[in-house]
Amino acid sequence: MNVCVLGAQWGDEGKGKIVDLLTPRFSIVARYQGGHNAGHTVYVRGRKFVLHLIPSGILHPGIICVIGNGVVVDPLALFAELDEIAGMGVDATGRLLVSDKAHVILPYHRELDVLAEARRGERKIGTTSRGIGPAYEDKIGRRGIRVGDLADASIDGPLASAVRENVAARNRLVGNVDMSADQVLADVRRVWPRLHPLVTDVSLYLHRAIAAGQRVMFEGAQGTLLDIDHGTYPFVTSSNATAGGAATGLGLGPRAIGTVIGVAKAYTTRVGEGPLPTEQTGEIGERLRETGQEYGASTGRPRRCGWYDAVAVRYAVRVNGLDALAITKLDVLDGLETLEVCTAYRCNGTILTEMPGDTAQLTGCEPVYETLPGWKTPTRGITEFEKLPAEAQAYVRRIEETSGIPAAIISTGSERDHTILRKEFEKFV
Ligand code: GDP
């Protein structure tokens, strides 16, 4: 059975660690959306790896990693990442495949990203300014350039005219210095020799691999509440981070997905703008940020931190069809006297137990909390559920009750072996 692992909150849930942990059970790890704005931090034997575009499965010898059509690819960022991991002794030769249908991020996308964010002023979204949003805009606007298009070496063929048209559009928008279409074209042509050997019909490749009995893990980037359709729009990313994205982003039918695991932190964080009902701006927020090291893996930005939001995770269970949770960073709560869990929102005097679709309404919501006792002894590094302090077990059980699904995995530290894999829920992973 194939497994999809995705974020059940606002991203940065620790998906990288969970994907890395489960990878030995699979032959292939496939990314289906997002770009190099994602930042997966993985610690292996004390060494830190930060992967942005390449699935973290690459750190395991023999695993094939796939970048699907739903991803937007900045070839230079991809090469930089390949060089970086090569420098750390990871050989990706022959193990990385890129869809010919993935859209390419070009230099003007990065500029347009900065420009669009500046124009939004007070209503800024807090993007990473890496050109990802504008590349997706071009995709939906049907003027994008796809990886497979880069094969066209003719002087005045479809690639050259698409680049010229897009650069001309950029020059009309960005008033200061004109960008040279010839220069962009020359840069684009330069990446092809290195990119070419990686380019594949990913849908066909995966279809055949699955038919031959290979197991695939689908790796989501960002998180459910950042999904372009189901997140807190407009404070979202430009792609479908939810489970449906795995089918469209790789060219597979929904039945190929198998089980869906939602990764959720034992508390809540969010980077960038937008509503975060359980946000703690005071001492608790600071405590979670420092203990959890809640600073963006891609940008270093401090993350906004707050209590566990059961309404948000329950919503993730619904829109993704989650089978089980992987709860991460339980150890970050070690030593807190009491813990709050948000079980509903109070909006204009009404109690909501489901996530409202209207972002403005959500912004005005107050969390309704349930208080649970904290635990005195540390959970860090514990590998068996029964060895957790009773209060920590009760906390996890409350998360299971409020979400309606089991916590198959509980992470108690950043290392691979700081993990509880619960035998009774093994069937989900
Ligand atoms: P991702 O994008 O969802 O993979 O999340 P990030 O990589 O941005 O953030 C996860 C961070 O938390 C990384 O630095 C991980 O090493 C770390 N981490 C993951 N699980 C745990 C855990 O259970 N406890 C602690 N203390 N750190 C963890």
Side-chain angles (χ1 to χ4, degrees):
M1 179 111 76
N2 302 320
V3 176
C4 180
V5 177
L6 51 77
Q9 296 162 320
W10 277 273
D12 309 312
E13 297 93 345
K15 296 176 294 295
K17 167 175 167 172
I18 302 301
V19 169
D20 178 65
L21 179 83
L22 298 178
T23 295
R25 301 164 178 229
F26 298 86
S27 306
I28 301 168
V29 181
R31 262 287 295 272
Y32 57 86
Q33 46 73 233
H36 62 301
N37 51 348
H40 292 319
T41 314
V42 186
Y43 287 89
V44 185
R45 288 182 296 279
R47 286 174 78 192
K48 181 178 171 181
F49 290 84
V50 183
L51 294 161
H52 301 285
L53 187 58
I54 304 175
S56 40
I58 206 77
L59 304 178
H60 296 254
I63 300 286
I64 304 285
C65 288
V66 170
I67 294 177
N69 58 277
V71 177
V72 286
V73 178
D74 180 333
L76 297 180
L78 177 67
F79 298 159
E81 214 167 290
L82 279 171
D83 291 343
E84 195 185 332
I85 60 170
M88 293 176 102
V90 177
D91 185 9
T93 315
R95 298 199 292 122
L96 180 66
L97 305 174
V98 179
S99 167
D100 53 347
K101 293 181 186 164
H103 280 247
V104 182
I105 301 174
L106 292 168
Y108 47 82
H109 290 130
R110 287 187 284 274
E111 276 188 328
L112 294 173
D113 215 350
V114 175
L115 191 75
E117 192 74 339
R119 283 208 179 135
R120 284 183 202 113
E122 284 290 290
R123 296 194 61 239
K124 70 182 190 319
I125 290 170
T127 79
T128 50
S129 303
R130 291 180 186 189
I132 288 148
Y136 277 116
E137 281 178 41
D138 278 359
K139 170 179 175 172
I140 301 300
R142 295 171 293 185
R143 55 180 175 267
I145 291 169
R146 308 202 290 183
V147 165
D149 298 334
L150 303 184
D152 171 18
S154 56
I155 299 169
D156 51 6
L159 175 64
S161 49
V163 168
R164 278 187 223 295
E165 273 170 35
N166 287 348
V167 171
R170 172 266 173 213
N171 287 343
R172 283 194 295 275
L173 271 172
V174 184
N176 49 5
V177 191
D178 270 4
M179 185 176 263
S180 151
D182 287 339
Q183 186 60 51
V184 173
L185 200 53
D187 291 346
V188 162
R189 298 219 194 280
R190 216 168 293 133
V191 301
W192 184 242
R194 189 168 177 192
L195 194 57
H196 180 207
L198 315 181
V199 180
T200 310
D201 179 337
V202 156
S203 161
L204 185 61
Y205 176 84
L206 289 177
H207 182 81
R208 286 184 175 154
I210 293 167
Q214 296 195 330
R215 287 190 88 201
V216 184
M217 175 162 40
F218 307 112
E219 176 182 344
Q222 290 90 37
T224 300
L225 276 307
L226 294 175
D227 180 279
I228 183 78
D229 286 287
H230 302 291
T232 50
Y233 192 89
F235 305 102
V236 290
T237 196
S238 305
S239 58
N240 284 117
T242 46
T248 53
L250 290 161
L252 294 171
R255 275 190 293 273
I257 294 174
T259 59
V260 188
I261 306 296
V263 185
K265 264 180 222 186
Y267 49 99
T268 307
T269 66
R270 163 167 212 161
V271 74
E273 310 300 317
L276 186 63
T278 61
E279 181 168 16
Q280 298 295 306
T281 49
E283 201 184 313
I284 288 292
E286 193 57 31
R287 159 76 209 273
L288 292 172
R289 183 156 42 250
E290 288 314 311
T291 315
Q293 278 303 294
E294 298 296 352
Y295 296 91
S298 281
T299 59
R301 284 186 289 185
R303 294 176 183 148
R304 298 156 63 195
C305 299
W307 296 117
Y308 182 81
D309 184 339
V311 182
V313 174
R314 200 163 51 235
Y315 176 69
V317 174
R318 166 156 55 95
V319 296
N320 295 294
L322 297 184
D323 292 289
L325 290 173
I327 297 172
T328 59
K329 297 195 152 188
L330 187 67
D331 56 298
V332 172
L333 303 180
D334 287 356
L336 287 170
E337 268 312 299
T338 53
L339 304 165
E340 308 287 339
V341 170
C342 165
T343 52
Y345 302 140
R346 187 177 293 108
C347 302
N348 297 326
T350 315
I351 299 291
L352 295 183
T353 53
E354 299 294 339
M355 176 70 79
D358 177 7
T359 302
Q361 186 185 5
L362 182 62
T363 308
C365 286
E366 294 278 321
V368 176
Y369 287 121
E370 192 178 292
T371 306
L372 276 81
W375 46 91
K376 299 266 177 317
T377 52
T379 64
R380 195 178 149 73
I382 289 182
T383 56
E384 286 168 53
F385 186 74
E386 292 67 30
K387 298 223 167 117
L388 288 174
E391 297 83 356
Q393 292 187 26
Y395 186 74
V396 171
R397 291 226 162 84
R398 194 66 190 122
I399 290 179
E400 293 181 314
E401 281 163 14
T402 54
S403 62
I405 55 171
I409 302 173
I410 299 158
S411 173
T412 56
S414 53
E415 291 286 335
R416 268 182 197 162
D417 54 4
H418 291 171
T419 312
I420 300 169
L421 266 164
R422 294 167 82 192
K423 281 272 169 292
E424 61 271 44
F425 306 121
E426 189 82 24
K427 61 174 187 264
F428 295 119
V429 292

